[in-house]
């Protein structure tokens, strides 16, 4: 699908998995994309085939100074979509509970999944115009209401924290006309989701992109799945 537009996206955390696939999807739709990596990745190969529409930047979002430096490099760029994709877990064992995690690992998951994405938004949000969209990759596992089975407890807690922080950001910007999105892509076969996940990247990412595009210009904070349906808080 190619919309033929000149829209610009900044996708943070795009070296692999959902972030990489989302970068490729928006390129296919005719967007100009800046995508970030922490270390050299397949993004550079993707850039070679993107006809100059993909710029790759290096940033570790857990290091605030690197995020500030990225803002300086971007200068006065206009970004129609700022999307932060960040996710880590301390275990791939769904039965592991919060009693199994070390304090250091708990802090690492919370800093990576909740605190750092919001620091990115606070630092870069001035690049997004009133008609633009600011989004983060959340998860259905961040829903407090829908947590009836437990599992992946620290990861769930980090995504719930992310949702709460994004809601606080929205509350502090009540007159902001921009669209704010918390996206739940579903359980996807990635390094984080694992081989037992229900969805492939091809099942999930086009729907995520469709939802982002459909919500552009509508304003407000929305917690949505890949089918553009609301997720329970």
């Amino acid at each position: 699908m190619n919309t033929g537009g000149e829209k610009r996206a900044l996708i943070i955390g795009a070296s692999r998995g959902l972030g990489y696939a989302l970068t490729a999807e928006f390129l296919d739709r005719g967007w100009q994309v800046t995508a970030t990596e922490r270390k050299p990745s397949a993004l550079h190969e993707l850039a070679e085939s993107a006809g100059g529409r993909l710029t790759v930047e290096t940033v570790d979002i857990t290091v605030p100074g690197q995020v500030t430096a990225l803002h300086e490099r971007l200068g006065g760029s206009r970004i129609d979509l700022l999307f932060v994709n960040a996710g880590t877990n301390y275990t791939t064992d769904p039965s592991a509970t919060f009693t199994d995690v070390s304090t250091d690992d708990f802090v690492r998951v919370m800093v990576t999944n909740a605190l750092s994405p919001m620091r990115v938004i606070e630092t870069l949000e001035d690049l997004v115009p009133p008609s633009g969209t600011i989004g983060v990759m959340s998860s259905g596992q961040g829903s407090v209401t829908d947590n009836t089975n437990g599992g992946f407890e620290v990861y769930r807690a980090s995504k719930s924290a992310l949702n709460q922080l994004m809601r606080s950001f929205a509350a502090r910007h009540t007159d902001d006309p921009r669209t704010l999105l918390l996206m739940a892509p579903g359980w996807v076969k990635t390094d984080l989701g694992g081989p037992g996940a229900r969805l492939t990247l091809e099942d999930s990412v086009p729907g995520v992109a469709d939802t982002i595009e459909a919500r552009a210009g509508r304003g407000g904070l929305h917690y949505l799945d890949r089918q553009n349906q609301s997720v329970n808080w």
Side-chain angles (χ1 to χ4, degrees):
M1 176 180 175
N2 190 319
T3 62
E6 293 294 328
K7 295 180 180 178
R8 295 179 179 273
L10 172 57
I11 300 177
I12 305 292
S15 61
R16 61 181 181 173
L18 286 163
Y20 180 90
L22 197 61
T23 297
E25 182 70 23
F26 277 112
L27 287 171
D28 286 345
R29 294 174 183 231
W31 288 58
Q32 298 279 340
V33 181
T34 299
T36 75
E37 61 185 6
R38 284 188 302 157
K39 56 186 178 181
S41 69
L43 282 173
H44 296 277
E45 296 176 11
L46 185 60
E48 291 177 0
S49 62
R53 291 187 295 110
L54 175 59
T55 301
V56 181
E57 293 278 0
T58 301
V59 63
D60 183 342
I61 67 169
T62 66
V63 182
Q66 292 191 21
V67 180
T68 300
L70 174 63
H71 183 273
E72 292 173 355
R73 292 198 300 273
L74 293 173
S77 300
R78 172 194 169 103
I79 305 297
D80 298 292
L81 169 66
L82 167 59
F83 194 87
V84 186
N85 175 64
T88 190
N89 199 6
Y90 75 99
T91 180
T92 56
D93 178 5
S95 67
T97 71
F98 54 85
T99 60
D100 301 313
V101 63
S102 70
T103 299
D104 286 345
D105 282 342
F106 182 87
V107 170
R108 177 178 58 84
V109 173
M110 287 293 178
V111 169
T112 301
N113 292 3
L115 178 61
S116 295
M118 296 310 302
R119 282 178 168 168
V120 169
I121 289 172
E122 292 281 4
T123 302
L124 302 180
E125 57 102 5
D126 67 311
L127 303 178
V128 183
S131 60
T133 299
I134 298 172
V136 292
M137 194 70 83
S138 183
S139 169
Q141 291 192 355
S143 170
V144 174
T145 301
D146 291 345
N147 183 7
T148 58
N149 299 315
F152 293 114
E153 293 181 3
V154 174
Y155 179 79
R156 284 183 186 272
S158 71
K159 291 299 185 178
S160 295
L162 174 65
N163 292 353
Q164 184 70 276
L165 291 172
M166 192 67 166
R167 192 151 195 172
S168 291
F169 178 86
R172 287 190 282 110
H173 296 78
T174 54
D175 296 328
D176 193 331
R178 294 176 297 190
T179 299
L180 305 177
L181 297 178
L182 289 156
M183 287 302 311
W187 187 16
V188 185
K189 290 182 174 69
T190 63
D191 289 345
L192 179 63
R198 298 185 183 93
L199 303 173
T200 65
L201 288 167
E202 293 76 17
D203 294 328
S204 172
V205 169
V208 170
D210 285 344
T211 298
I212 291 171
E213 290 189 329
R215 292 284 173 162
R218 297 175 60 178
L221 173 63
H222 310 275
Y223 182 17
L224 304 168
D225 65 18
R226 70 188 188 283
Q227 297 173 316
N228 201 9
Q229 299 297 309
S230 295
V231 180
N232 291 324
W233 289 90

